């Protein structure tokens, strides 16, 4: 009872402090809100919307079930999740936060995942997409496309490590069944696809409309969280709470041989990855390796803003948020560790002169792909607002048409 009352008191005090801060710093709050809005309608909305819509269509037509049967022999032994986890993992890496959580929740609602399997899956299928790592962070903040290779390797290797570790999660709660190794069967996969399509008997028009509606509603929620945490981050800075928390980080950074100037970007990155990554790139006193290590942790931890988005999505199901939060901490340390150990054998060996070495064609390929992703990011920033406005217009038309039919 006491714990519940203390929680109520803490939440009430926090909201009251935020309201008072908004009144005290109206211009700063407005600027932060505009910054969050620009990020949402320029980058987040146009980049995630196609993936969300296509994913909903693939689930409805049974393609995801088809892929799940084929990937079962791979995903089950490695991560102890069904084969459909492979689809979620791929889409999560391609589209970025919080696509993995949305797809996991969707599959859990359909009964394709158990509760424990869903909690395992969501822990390693949420990640930054290559477009953001190369375009926004490496080129936009550091002006160094080669750095994106290190950040991407550290990020995705960290994700795989989290998945392998989380396979041991929930053994005591899971109903263990003696599962025989399933052989790859195209016939079984097609049978599963057909059953799923027949079961979901919605017409194509209705299925597409539902996919658009569901995707845009999720993105509107995501936009609200981005704006909210952009404002919270700015208010914490002006209330000197960020500086107070940074004092505790300075000691840990000093023990690792890093400059204490990285403490403020680190704290900011815990709340919002874009601002934290940008501030880290601006610390002149830090070496590029130390900046890469801190940025890798920030990208992997994903920030409380993204975690709040995931928590809101998971709240629609019985999937618990605590395993996801624990996995984000693990991912942060794994990514920072990989960035550190890969720095000399990869970055200093192949990119120290600013050009990729001919000794390893893969590095040239990764760098050229990073340059293309950076160009795509710039193009998306220009065309993003128009895509967002057009999509919202279509959303309003669909809602209006459905309301008219109901009448």
């Amino acid at each position: 009872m006491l714990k519940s009352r203390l929680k109520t008191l803490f939440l009430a005090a926090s909201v009251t402090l935020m309201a008072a801060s908004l009144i005290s710093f109206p211009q700063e709050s407005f600027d932060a809100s505009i910054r969050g809005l620009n990020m949402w309608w320029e980058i987040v909305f146009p980049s995630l919307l196609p993936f969300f819509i296509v994913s909903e269509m693939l689930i409805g037509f049974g393609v995801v079930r088809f892929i799940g049967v084929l990937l079962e022999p791979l995903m089950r032994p490695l991560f102890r999740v069904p084969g459909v986890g492979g689809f979620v993992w791929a889409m999560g890496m391609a589209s970025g936060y919080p696509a993995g959580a949305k797809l996991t929740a969707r599959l859990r609602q359909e009964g394709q995942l158990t509760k424990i399997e869903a909690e395992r899956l969501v822990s390693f299928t949420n990640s930054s997409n290559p477009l953001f790592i190369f375009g926004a962070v490496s080129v936009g903040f550091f002006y160094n496309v080669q750095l994106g290779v290190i950040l991407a390797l550290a990020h995705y290797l960290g994700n795989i490590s989290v998945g392998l570790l989380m396979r041991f999660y929930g053994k005591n709660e899971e109903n263990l069944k003696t599962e025989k190794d399933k052989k790859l069967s195209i016939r079984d996969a097609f049978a599963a696809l057909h059953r799923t399509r027949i079961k979901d008997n919605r017409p194509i028009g209705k299925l597409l409309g539902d996919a658009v509606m569901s995707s845009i509603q999720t993105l509107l929620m995501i936009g609200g969280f981005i704006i909210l945490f952009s404002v919270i981050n700015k208010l914490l800075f002006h209330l000197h709470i960020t500086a107070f928390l940074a004092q505790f980080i300075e000691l840990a950074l000093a023990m690792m041989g890093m400059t204490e100037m990285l403490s403020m970007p680190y704290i900011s990155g815990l709340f919002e990855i874009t601002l934290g990554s940008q501030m880290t790139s601006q610390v002149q006193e830090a070496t590029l390796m130390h900046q890469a290590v801190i940025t890798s942790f920030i990208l992997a931890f994903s920030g409380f803003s993204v975690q709040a988005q995931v928590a809101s999505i998971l709240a629609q199901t019985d999937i618990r948020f605590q395993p996801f939060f624990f996995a984000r901490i693990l991912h942060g340390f794994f990514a920072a560790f990989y960035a550190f150990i890969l720095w000399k054998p990869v970055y200093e060996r192949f990119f120290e002169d600013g050009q990729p070495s001919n000794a390893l064609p893969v590095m040239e390929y990764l760098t050229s792909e990073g340059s293309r992703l950076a160009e795509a990011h710039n193009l998306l920033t220009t065309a993003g607002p128009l895509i967002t406005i057009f999509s919202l217009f279509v959303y309003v038309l669909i809602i209006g048409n459905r309301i008219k039919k109901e009448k």
Side-chain angles (χ1 to χ4, degrees):
M1 187 68 178
L2 178 61
K3 182 179 178 181
S4 178
R5 290 182 177 179
L6 289 175
K7 181 179 179 180
T8 301
L9 182 62
F10 172 76
L11 293 175
S14 300
V15 174
T16 303
L17 177 62
M18 183 176 177
S21 302
L22 288 171
I23 297 172
S24 303
F25 304 101
Q27 186 60 48
E28 291 83 355
S29 301
F30 177 77
D31 293 340
S33 179
I34 293 297
R35 176 184 172 275
L37 179 62
N38 287 336
M39 186 192 313
W40 176 72
W41 84 324
E42 288 179 357
I43 302 296
V44 176
F45 190 100
S47 62
L48 285 181
L49 180 62
F51 285 96
F52 281 1
I53 294 176
V54 171
S55 298
E56 289 284 341
M57 298 288 286
L58 290 174
I59 293 172
F61 287 133
V63 179
V64 173
R65 180 81 74 171
F66 173 83
I67 296 173
V69 174
L70 295 181
L71 294 181
E72 185 79 15
L74 172 67
M75 299 300 293
R76 182 71 66 178
L78 281 178
F79 305 111
R80 293 184 65 203
V81 296
V84 291
F87 168 79
V88 177
W89 191 19
M91 294 297 287
M93 285 194 294
S95 55
Y97 308 112
K102 177 175 172 55
L103 294 176
T104 301
R106 182 79 168 80
L107 294 175
R108 173 59 182 151
Q109 291 170 340
E110 286 208 343
Q112 298 190 41
L113 298 168
T114 67
K115 179 181 177 182
I116 297 298
E117 289 171 347
E119 289 171 355
R120 288 193 194 119
L121 184 61
V122 78
S123 68
F124 70 95
T125 54
N126 284 270
S127 58
S128 293
N129 61 13
L131 190 69
F132 179 76
I133 293 176
F134 282 95
V137 179
S138 301
V139 176
F141 299 154
F142 287 93
Y143 306 103
N144 185 348
V145 69
Q146 287 85 12
L147 183 63
V149 176
I150 290 292
L151 296 178
L153 286 174
H155 192 73
Y156 297 123
L157 286 174
N159 232 0
I160 294 172
S161 300
V162 170
L164 293 174
L165 196 60
M166 289 298 288
R167 74 184 303 277
F168 301 104
Y169 164 76
K171 275 189 173 182
N172 297 330
E173 300 180 47
E174 196 173 32
N175 294 324
L176 296 177
K177 298 179 181 178
T178 56
E179 297 185 0
K180 298 180 181 180
D181 294 335
K182 298 182 178 179
K183 295 181 180 180
L184 184 65
S185 174
I186 299 296
R187 178 180 295 180
D188 291 342
F190 274 114
L193 183 150
H194 181 67
R195 285 196 302 269
T196 304
R197 188 190 69 81
I198 296 300
K199 183 178 179 181
D200 189 344
N201 56 1
R202 288 176 294 174
I204 295 179
K206 178 71 163 55
L207 186 62
L208 179 60
D210 290 346
V212 172
M213 293 276 290
S214 172
S215 301
I216 293 182
Q217 286 170 2
T218 301
L219 286 167
L220 288 171
M221 177 270 295
I222 290 172
F225 276 113
I226 291 174
I227 295 171
L228 174 64
F229 275 86
S230 180
V231 173
I232 289 176
N233 211 349
K234 179 66 74 173
L235 292 178
L236 290 175
F237 175 79
H238 285 285
L239 293 172
H240 305 291
I241 296 176
T242 304
F244 173 75
L245 295 175
Q247 294 177 1
F248 298 97
I249 304 300
E250 291 176 2
L251 180 60
L253 293 176
M255 292 175 62
M256 293 185 290
M258 298 184 184
T259 175
E260 63 182 21
M261 299 299 292
L262 288 170
S263 59
M264 287 285 285
Y266 178 83
I267 294 297
S268 297
L270 293 182
F271 286 88
E272 209 275 304
I273 56 176
T274 306
L275 180 61
S277 300
Q278 184 180 36
M279 291 177 65
T280 302
S281 69
Q282 296 170 348
V283 179
Q284 302 296 327
E285 295 82 358
T287 65
L288 185 58
M289 183 191 75
H290 291 164
Q291 290 175 319
V293 170
I294 294 297
T295 303
S296 293
F297 185 95
I298 290 172
L299 291 175
F301 185 72
S302 71
F304 295 128
S305 174
V306 171
Q307 293 180 20
Q309 298 167 28
V310 172
S312 178
I313 293 171
L314 298 184
Q316 302 169 22
T317 67
D318 59 351
I319 305 173
R320 290 169 292 193
F321 175 74
Q322 290 84 353
F324 173 82
F325 179 73
F326 175 70
R328 296 282 58 76
I329 298 174
L330 287 178
H331 191 191
F333 284 111
F334 274 130
F337 174 72
Y338 285 129
F340 176 76
I341 65 172
L342 291 174
W343 187 259
K344 286 187 177 180
V346 176
Y347 189 86
E348 291 188 359
R349 180 180 178 186
F350 298 104
F351 305 127
E352 61 183 356
D353 61 350
Q355 296 294 330
S357 169
N358 291 328
L360 195 58
V362 174
M363 293 302 167
E364 292 186 10
Y365 172 77
L366 289 175
T367 306
S368 62
E369 284 298 307
S371 300
R372 294 191 187 98
L373 288 169
E375 293 174 3
H377 180 271
N378 294 332
L379 178 62
L380 186 63
T381 302
T382 304
L386 294 177
I387 298 173
T388 302
I389 293 173
F390 176 76
S391 301
L392 291 176
F393 177 72
V394 172
Y395 175 70
V396 172
L397 288 180
I398 294 175
I399 290 181
N401 187 44
R402 292 193 172 184
I403 292 176
K404 188 183 295 186
K405 286 183 177 180
E406 290 177 357
K407 290 182 179 180

